[in-house]
Amino acid sequence: MERTKSLRIKLTFAALCGSVLFIIGFAVSAPVRSFVLFNQIEKQERSTLKNITNRAENYALREEERRLTVQNEAISNLLSTEFRLISEDVSMLRDTFVAFLEHPERYHPRALPNALYEDVKSETPYVHFSQRLLKQGLNPQIEKEIKAGSNIADLAPFFSDYYKCVFFGAESGYTIAMYVMSQPDDLVPVSRNPARLTYDPVSRIWYQEGKGYVGTNFTDVYRAQTGDMTVSCISPYYVNGKFHGVMGVDCSPKWVNELVKSIAVDKNDLYFILSSKGEVLFVNFDSDAIRVTLGVDIRNSEEKSLANIADKMVEKKEGFDTVTIRGKDYFIAYSPIKNVNWSFASLIPVENVYAPSIEIKDHLLKIKDSYYSKLKSSIVLVVISTTVFVLLLLFFIFRRIIRLSDNVVNPIIRLTHDVNKFAEGNLDKRVKLDSHDEIMEIAESFNSLAQKLQDNIKNLSEISAQKKRLDAEVNVVNEILVNYLPDNFSLAEKYGFDLYAKEYPAKSSGGDFFDFYMLDEGHLVVSIGDVSGRGVPSALFMMISKAVIKSFCKMNSEVSLGEALHKINNRLHEHNTEQMYVALFIGIIELSTGRMEYVNAGHYAPYVYSAEKDTGSFLIDGNIDSIMALNGNISFHTRSTVLNPGDMLYLYTDGIISDRSLKGEKFDELMLSEAVLKARKNNLTSEEIVDFSYKTAVDFIGRDSFTDDIALLCLQRK
C-alpha cells in the first residue's frame, strides 16, 4: 500500500513535474517559435517585394523605350515630310519668281513699298535697295526686273502661317521680302535704322551659303535680323541660265513645336533637333547644356554622356540610351530626319519612368506593415491565452495552440507561395484562402492590387497613347481647316451677288474644302472639293491642293479653265506618292453677265435654281471629268451656263448625304435638293439657305454630328 501510495506520489509528482516542465517549455517555445516564424516570413516578404518592384521597373523601362522609340520615329517621319514640303514650297516660289524675271512682258508691273524710304509693317510685302545698288544706279533693266518680280507678293501671304520670312535677294543689291513679326504693327528689320541704310543681301550668311547650293537646302543656325536664332530653307535662282541671287524662307521654332506636339503622347515631352555640325537648331526646354546657340557644338560639351549621344546623332545613328544633363538623368531616343541632314531626339526624366513602380512598392509596404502589426498583436494574445488556460486544460490548450498556429502559419505560407509565383512573372496567379480573418483581407487586397496592376500594364499605355494622339490630331486638323478657309463673303456683293459658305468638320477630319476669290475685277472663282482619306495626311494634301489650284488659276487666267486644270492636275500628280486624289468642282463667273465657265472633276453635280422656271436641277451636261492628282496628262472639259438674275448655285460635298438615321434611312441628293428649293422659294439669303439645308439633314438623321466633313457654298444673283 505504501509502495502504491509512493508510486502514486511519484507518478503524480512526475506528472506534475512533467506538466510543469511541459508548461514552461511550451510557454517558452510558443513565443520563440512564433517570433522565429515571424522573422522568416518577414525576410521572405522583403525578397518578394524586391522581386515585384524590380519586375515592375523593368517592365516600365521596356514600355517607355518602346513608346519613346515609336513616337520618335513617327515625329522624325512627320518632320521629314514637313521639311520636304518646305523644300517644295521654296522650289515653287523660286520657279515662279524666275518666270516673272525671264518673261516680264507677260506680267503687269507691280510697285511695292520700299523699306529704304517707308515704314513697312509686319506681313506687308516690300522691296529694299542697298546703298551699293543706289551708287551703281537703277538702270531701266533692273527697274523692269524689280516691278515684274514684285508680283511674287501675291503668293507670299499664303505662306505667312508657316514661315517667319519669305525673301528674295538679288546679286545686284535689291531685296523683295515679307516678314511676320511678333506684333502686327511692328516694323520689319530693314525698315528701321541703321539696318535700312546698311543692309545688303549679299553680305548675309544665308546668301553666302546659298550661292554654293545646288537646289534647295537648309542652313545652319544663324542670327536673323530680328535677333532670333533662325534656320532657313534657301535656294539659288538662275535667270536665263545665269546666277541671279538667293531666295528662301525662315522656319519658325513655334511651328516645329506644334508639329511635334501633334503626335507626342505627353505635351510635356522634351525634345531637341541637332544639325550635322552638332549645333542645336530647335529645343523646347530650358538648359544651359542644350540650347540654340550660334556656333556651339554640343559634342564638345562638358556633359560627357550628352557629348557621346551628340556624336551618334551626327553620325545618323538611331537608338535608345541614358544621358545626364545638369545632374539629372534622362532616357533619350534619337533618330535621323530624312530629307535634311539633321537628327531628332526626345527625352523623359528617369524618375518619371519609375514613378509607377515606386507607387506600387509604397502601396505594398503599407499592406505589409499593416499585416505585421496585426500579426504581432495576434502572437501576444496567443502567448497570454496559453499561459492562463494551459493550467486548466493542458491537452485542449496544446491542441488549440497547434491548431491556432496552423491556422496562422498555413495561410501565410500559401500567401507567400502565391505571391512568389506572381513575382516570378505569372501575372494571372491569385491567392485562394478559406480563412475569414485579417490574412484573408490581405489576400483580397493583394488580389485586387494584382488585377489592377495587370489591367493597367496591359491597357493604360496603349489606350492613353491612342486617345491623346487622336485627340491632338483631330483638334489640330479641325483648327487648321477652319482657319484656312476664306470668310470675306462680301467681295461680290457690289456686283449683285449674295455669297456664303461654311465648313462643318467631323470628329475624324477629312479633306473637304471650299474656296472663293476674285480672279480679276470682273470675275469671281468659286470651288468646292473633297480629298481622299482621313486625318492629317488628307488635311495637308487638301491645303496644298487648294493653294495650287488658286495659284495656277491666277497665273493662267489667259487660258481656258480646262487647260488650267490640266496643268494643276499634272502638278498635283507629280509628287503624289501616296496616291491621294481630289474631287473638285470649280467655276469662273463673269459678274457683269452671270455667265459661268466650269469644270467638274469627279465631284457631285451642283444644284442650280432657275428663277425663270421657278425650279431647280442638278448641273449635269455630259460626262463628268476624271478626279484629279491620281493620273497625269488628263484632259478637262470647260462647260458653261448662265446665272440670270434670281438664279442660285448651291455646292456641297458628300458628307451631308452619306450618313443614315437611326432607322437606317439615308438623307440623299433628292432630299437635299428639296430642302434647298424650299429655302430658295422662301427668298432666304445664301447664309440662311446653307444653315437651313444643314439643319434639315441634322433633323433627319437625328444627331448633330456627321462621320465625314461637310462643306457647303451658296451663290445667288440678286
Side-chain angles (χ1 to χ4, degrees), residues 345-364:
S346 53
L347 306 93
I348 185 172
V350 171
E351 60 189 24
N352 292 2
V353 176
Y354 292 138
S357 61
I358 294 174
E359 184 178 351
I360 292 172
K361 180 179 179 180
D362 292 340
H363 186 68
L364 290 176

Side-chain angles (χ1 to χ4, degrees), residues 142-213:
I142 293 181
E143 290 184 352
K144 183 178 181 181
E145 174 184 314
I146 293 172
K147 291 180 178 180
S150 295
N151 283 293
I152 200 68
D154 292 330
L155 293 181
F158 294 108
F159 300 95
S160 60
D161 290 338
Y162 310 103
Y163 309 121
K164 297 174 63 178
C165 181
V166 179
F167 51 86
F168 299 83
E171 181 75 12
S172 58
Y174 69 84
T175 303
I176 297 176
M178 184 191 74
Y179 261 97
V180 179
M181 307 299 292
S182 58
Q183 298 296 328
D185 292 331
D186 287 349
L187 297 181
V188 300
V190 296
S191 191
R192 294 175 290 188
N193 289 323
R196 73 195 318 169
L197 300 176
T198 60
Y199 182 80
D200 191 335
V202 299
S203 64
R204 301 298 297 171
I205 294 176
W206 54 264
Y207 190 96
Q208 296 167 4
E209 288 190 18
K211 290 182 68 175
Y213 289 165

